[in-house]
Amino acid sequence: MSSINHSQENNESYFSIDTFFKQIGIGEIIHQVNFKRRTPINPTEFIKWLLTTIFVRQSLYRAKEAPAFTTRTVRNFLNDGRINWQKFVCLLASAVIKCLRPFIDSRRRLALIIDDSLFARPYSKRTELLARVYDHDKHEFLHGYRALTLGWSDANTFLPVNFALMSSKDPKNILGPCHNLDRRSLAGRRRYQAQSKMNQVAVELVSQALKHNIPAQYVLFDSWYSSPKMFDQIKQLGLDGIGMLKRSTKVYYRYRGRLYSVKALYERLRSEKRSPKATYQYSCVVKSDSGIQRKANNYLVLATTKVSLHPDEIIQLYGRRWQIETYFKAAKQYLRFDKTQVQNYDGLCGHLAIVMMTYDLLAWQERQEKDERTIGDLFYIMGEAMPDLSLTDVLVWFIKLLNQLVESEPVAPIKQLNETVDKFISSLPQSIAFQLQKA
């Protein structure tokens, strides 16, 4: 009767996580990211426990301890500086994409998306590499990090494939302690990367994703990353960039033998009296190809290194960049994106990797059999636990069934038994009830 007692193993999320782990081969992935065992416990158990704590919306320190290990063991697992969390996320996304690839039309354009979001730590003081970072929404400096994220999209499913938790390249803005580790070590390189330029790290993330077999033809990014140098570096990696350009007077583009800023180029095209289109105003070929769209009294400038793309296709592809904003919203609202008490920088990177893994799991479930539920719906379903059944309740169920068999007519017990079983199944979580009904 031990299987009747309420436990984490009876939670619906455990069944889904086990299936997901088998599908992607989590054991092989962990083996490749330099995890060294300090305990005899399988590391997949740590990851499974961390995923379930996210689904029940509890912190690492408030979650119910597992029978085989304590939260301190899990914290040590996250803080292990030898684990390559970036490679872990890349390999994980690559395995999920491999599962989805048979269902993706070969004509579909696959793209990588670069963006960052505030990883806020407003009440922290001693968190490693904590910095003053600029919040683009509130237009003020806050305490925390910039979570630089690289995502993958086939226009249907979005998956986070790599990340870097950025501090500040200016030592004056770094508030927390900074340990000067040997840069030859993984932990040292990780901290050095956190204090590098954002655009440089973004290119490194793209390069690392390609080395781990993430398929893509384009890289999408907004105006914060758009520069001629960025487009050139992306092109050198064998991909084409599509981004929105800043209307800067410091950057010039060559058009018909003359150099123009974006603003001057727009005025030049207007003076040519070209006929406007329905979805874009002007387009021209410059040193970095650009399509220009007019909106009311303002205009947006989209640029790409893919000369053969029609302006409509440029606009359509760039619109896919919104998927990474949806990921940030879902991760912050449901997956405890920046809700952790971990103080160690390696531990913060581990936490962010687990959040991305949780999103991969939800995206994988959403894609199964054309699931129409949203990520938020799936999150709450994953957190739905088995009802508590005491031994007394179970005995009452069986006594009722036996009484029906003894006292009723020969035909009646079967009907009443079916009704009782149906009533019991209806009280279970949806996915378990569905499996029982299929059986």
Side-chain angles (χ1 to χ4, degrees):
M1 303 299 292
S2 60
S3 62
I4 297 173
N5 296 329
H6 176 65
S7 66
Q8 285 186 324
E9 284 72 21
N10 286 336
N11 197 311
E12 179 187 357
S13 62
Y14 255 56
F15 174 78
S16 299
I17 293 170
D18 280 334
T19 306
F20 180 65
F21 281 4
K22 292 175 183 177
Q23 188 83 22
I24 65 173
I26 188 66
E28 180 63 24
I29 292 175
I30 291 177
H31 179 72
Q32 295 183 53
V33 298
N34 199 35
F35 176 77
K36 306 295 183 182
R37 284 198 183 190
R38 293 182 178 179
T39 65
I41 302 170
N42 192 321
T44 58
E45 294 300 318
F46 297 148
I47 298 175
K48 188 183 300 183
W49 184 85
L50 286 167
L51 293 179
T52 54
T53 59
I54 292 177
F55 287 129
V56 297
R57 313 189 84 171
Q58 291 181 337
S59 68
L60 180 66
Y61 299 94
R62 291 182 178 273
K64 181 180 178 181
E65 291 189 355
F69 52 84
T70 65
T71 55
R72 182 172 183 175
T73 309
V74 180
R75 187 178 68 247
N76 292 337
F77 168 71
L78 288 175
N79 292 341
D80 193 340
R82 299 170 299 180
I83 301 177
N84 193 334
W85 290 111
Q86 289 181 330
K87 185 176 180 181
F88 175 80
V89 175
C90 280
L91 292 174
L92 178 67
S94 180
V96 176
I97 293 171
K98 186 178 180 180
C99 296
L100 300 179
R101 203 64 191 269
F103 310 103
I104 302 175
D105 194 313
S106 58
R107 297 168 296 179
R108 188 65 65 90
R109 294 186 176 101
L110 306 180
L112 296 173
I113 307 172
I114 298 173
D115 204 358
D116 64 273
S117 183
L118 177 67
F119 189 97
R121 296 300 296 264
Y123 305 109
S124 298
K125 294 182 179 179
R126 301 301 299 169
T127 305
E128 189 177 2
L129 286 178
L130 183 72
R132 294 175 66 250
V133 294
Y134 188 72
D135 186 356
H136 302 308
D137 295 329
K138 297 181 178 179
H139 301 287
E140 61 181 358
F141 283 92
L142 301 174
H143 292 185
Y145 307 85
R146 301 299 305 181
L148 179 60
T149 304
L150 179 70
W152 174 91
S153 170
D154 65 345
N156 186 3
T157 300
F158 175 85
L159 298 173
V161 300
N162 209 344
F163 73 97
L165 195 59
M166 304 298 297
S167 181
S168 175
K169 65 179 185 298
D170 187 354
K172 295 180 181 178
N173 287 332
I174 298 179
L175 307 175
C178 180
H179 304 308
N180 295 320
L181 302 180
D182 190 342
R183 200 177 296 179
R184 293 173 296 180
S185 66
L186 177 62
R189 293 196 303 270
R190 184 183 291 147
R191 285 159 174 78
Y192 174 75
Q193 185 185 63
Q195 301 172 72
S196 303
K197 291 183 179 180
M198 194 87 78
N199 281 29
Q200 174 188 337
V201 176
V203 175
E204 292 175 2
L205 297 185
V206 174
S207 177
Q208 187 177 6
L210 294 178
K211 289 179 182 178
H212 292 96
N213 303 317
I214 303 294
Q217 296 94 39
Y218 300 92
V219 181
L220 314 179
F221 40 85
D222 62 12
S223 58
W224 293 102
Y225 301 93
S226 294
S227 66
K229 183 178 180 181
M230 183 72 169
F231 280 101
D232 182 58
Q233 290 176 324
I234 294 297
K235 192 66 177 178
Q236 289 178 16
L237 294 175
L239 304 177
D240 288 297
I242 298 179
M244 183 178 293
L245 297 182
K246 297 178 182 178
R247 284 178 287 165
S248 172
T249 57
K250 297 181 180 180
V251 180
Y252 293 86
Y253 301 89
R254 187 175 299 278
Y255 175 65
R256 294 186 178 180
R258 294 186 61 182
L259 293 176
Y260 295 91
S261 66
V262 169
K263 206 169 183 179
L265 180 61
Y266 179 72
E267 294 301 327
R268 167 67 189 271
L269 295 175
R270 285 186 65 189
S271 66
E272 294 181 358
K273 297 182 179 179
R274 298 188 180 192
S275 57
K277 303 296 182 180
T279 56
Y280 62 94
Q281 188 71 15
Y282 306 115
S283 66
C284 64
V285 177
V286 294
K287 190 173 181 180
S288 292
D289 310 329
S290 56
I292 300 180
Q293 179 186 7
R294 184 171 176 81
K295 183 178 180 182
N297 294 324
N298 205 347
Y299 57 89
L300 304 176
V301 184
L302 301 182
T304 179
T305 53
K306 185 73 170 178
V307 180
S308 59
L309 283 179
H310 190 273
D312 286 336
E313 294 175 313
I314 298 173
I315 295 170
Q316 183 184 40
L317 270 171
Y318 184 77
R320 200 187 296 183
R321 200 196 66 82
W322 187 251
Q323 288 185 302
I324 198 170
E325 303 290 355
T326 305
Y327 157 71
F328 286 135
K329 180 179 179 181
K332 290 183 178 182
Q333 185 172 353
Y334 302 112
L335 307 182
R336 301 185 64 82
F337 179 80
D338 51 0
K339 302 294 190 299
T340 176
Q341 289 80 33
V342 176
Q343 301 291 313
N344 182 276
Y345 181 75
D346 295 310
L348 292 174
C349 292
H351 167 77
L352 204 54
I354 296 300
V355 168
M356 291 183 173
M357 184 179 193
T358 310
Y359 192 89
D360 286 342
L361 170 58
L362 296 175
W364 172 77
Q365 281 212 324
E366 185 185 31
R367 193 66 180 263
Q368 300 297 307
E369 300 180 0
K370 298 180 180 179
D371 199 328
E372 297 180 354
R373 294 171 293 189
T374 65
I375 294 293
D377 294 334
L378 289 171
F379 171 80
Y380 285 113
I381 290 171
M382 289 287 289
E384 184 181 0
M386 284 278 289
D388 291 332
L389 295 178
S390 65
L391 179 60
T392 305
D393 295 332
V394 175
L395 291 176
V396 170
W397 279 96
F398 279 109
I399 291 172
K400 286 183 178 179
L401 292 176
L402 291 174
N403 289 336
Q404 290 175 1
L405 290 172
V406 173
E407 298 175 359
S408 303
E409 296 292 333
V411 181
I414 299 177
K415 181 179 179 181
Q416 294 178 359
L417 180 62
N418 289 335
E419 291 177 353
T420 305
V421 172
D422 290 341
K423 184 178 179 182
F424 174 73
I425 291 176
S426 64
S427 66
L428 298 174
Q430 294 180 6
S431 64
I432 298 179
F434 178 71
Q435 295 294 331
L436 291 175
Q437 288 169 355
K438 285 178 61 178

